[in-house]
Amino acid sequence: GNSVTQMEGPVTLSEEAFLTINCTYTATGYPSLFWYVQYPGEGLQLLLKATKADDKGSNKGFEATYRKETTSFHLEKGSVQVSDSAVYFCALSDDSTSYGKLTFGQGTILTVHP
Amino acid sequence: GAGVSQSPRYKVAKRGQDVALRCDPISGHVSLFWYQQALGQGPEFLTYFQNEAQLDKSGLPSDRFFAERPEGSVSTLKIQRTQQEDSAVYLCASSNLVGEQYFGPGTRLTVT
């Protein structure tokens, strides 16, 4: 079956540091890939997505590239802010169905200090 | 416009009690999903509705879990005879037939 593995957290960085959160996946077919973010006290929000190999998703300074050869979708940001502190989830959408149920990784807690 | 809403936000139940969790999706969204999120884990799929039809219930962990969406809008997730392992956050998401899933804030269920 499908699975998503994220790097272990928590991750603690100083403001303006470079961020990488690793994500690898196992899936049959050609899933779409997502990063979701959960800010404290809030629901899950879609951060970015990529629907086919070599696509790059980007939003709010975050980027991730769909790498089929390495089955990866690593999240990066060049300069993090305190406001980026949140839990980040990598997910894939099952393309064997038309409705795209999601399989999530376990989440990575990011804390950014001033 | 209004997002996905869920109620109650918090629910404490004694083991063996039945609970009902409500989801109000975004108006007009055809698809509705329920996920279960255990502490420190990512959400796990429970079930999917397209309008009033429950097309996938492969993630429901036992026959104590039951979901419905009788008029193709509001959905209710019911858990009978709750057990401690049912303690989790229950998330609802809605989307157009092909599109981004919008998540509600979740219901945190604690079974004592």
Side-chain angles (χ1 to χ4, degrees):
Chain A
N2 297 334
S3 68
V4 176
T5 302
Q6 291 180 231
M7 67 183 288
E8 294 287 333
V11 174
T12 302
L13 296 173
S14 298
E15 206 165 23
E16 300 183 0
F18 184 86
L19 168 71
T20 300
I21 301 178
N22 289 340
C23 171
T24 58
Y25 68 90
T26 301
T28 55
Y30 302 93
S32 295
L33 301 175
F34 306 83
W35 278 99
Y36 279 82
V37 59
Q38 190 170 36
Y39 297 105
E42 300 185 15
L44 281 167
Q45 300 174 25
L46 179 64
L47 180 60
L48 54 83
K49 68 178 182 181
T51 57
K52 61 183 187 296
D54 300 324
D55 268 2
K56 178 185 285 188
S58 61
N59 186 25
K60 300 182 181 180
F62 291 89
E63 293 183 337
T65 301
Y66 188 165
R67 300 287 188 200
K68 195 171 191 314
E69 63 276 15
T70 55
T71 62
S72 65
F73 193 55
H74 304 321
L75 182 68
E76 296 182 336
K77 187 175 186 182
S79 176
V80 294
Q81 305 301 311
V82 172
S83 57
D84 294 327
S85 298
V87 185
Y88 292 81
F89 293 93
C90 185
L92 67 81
S93 171
D94 185 347
D95 74 339
S96 68
T97 68
S98 63
Y99 45 89
K101 67 183 179 183
L102 296 171
T103 299
F104 287 87
Q106 74 271 31
T108 301
I109 300 172
L110 171 65
T111 303
V112 181
H113 291 298
Chain B
V4 178
S5 60
Q6 294 185 245
S7 61
R9 291 293 309 277
Y10 303 91
K11 176 70 178 177
V12 179
K14 292 186 177 177
R15 191 172 57 186
Q17 284 185 332
D18 298 348
V19 298
L21 313 179
R22 177 187 169 106
C23 172
D24 283 84
I26 293 172
S27 177
H29 275 188
V30 169
S31 297
L32 187 145
F33 301 79
W34 284 98
Y35 294 85
Q36 180 190 58
Q37 185 176 16
L39 188 65
Q41 301 297 315
E44 292 191 355
F45 172 81
L46 292 177
T47 189
Y48 166 72
F49 289 86
Q50 182 177 318
N51 295 308
E52 70 278 4
Q54 189 175 19
L55 299 185
D56 187 342
K57 51 183 181 180
S58 62
L60 295 177
S62 78
D63 58 8
R64 296 186 295 104
F65 286 70
F66 172 76
E68 61 183 6
R69 194 185 185 197
E71 297 179 358
S73 179
V74 170
S75 177
T76 303
L77 176 67
K78 298 179 179 179
I79 308 173
Q80 297 177 325
R81 304 181 304 281
T82 52
Q83 303 294 314
Q84 282 197 315
E85 62 263 29
D86 300 335
S87 295
V89 176
Y90 291 86
L91 298 171
C92 175
S94 71
S95 73
N96 292 320
L97 196 56
V98 179
E100 175 187 344
Q101 291 184 33
Y102 292 86
F103 283 81
T107 294
R108 182 178 297 278
L109 172 65
T110 303
V111 181
T112 61

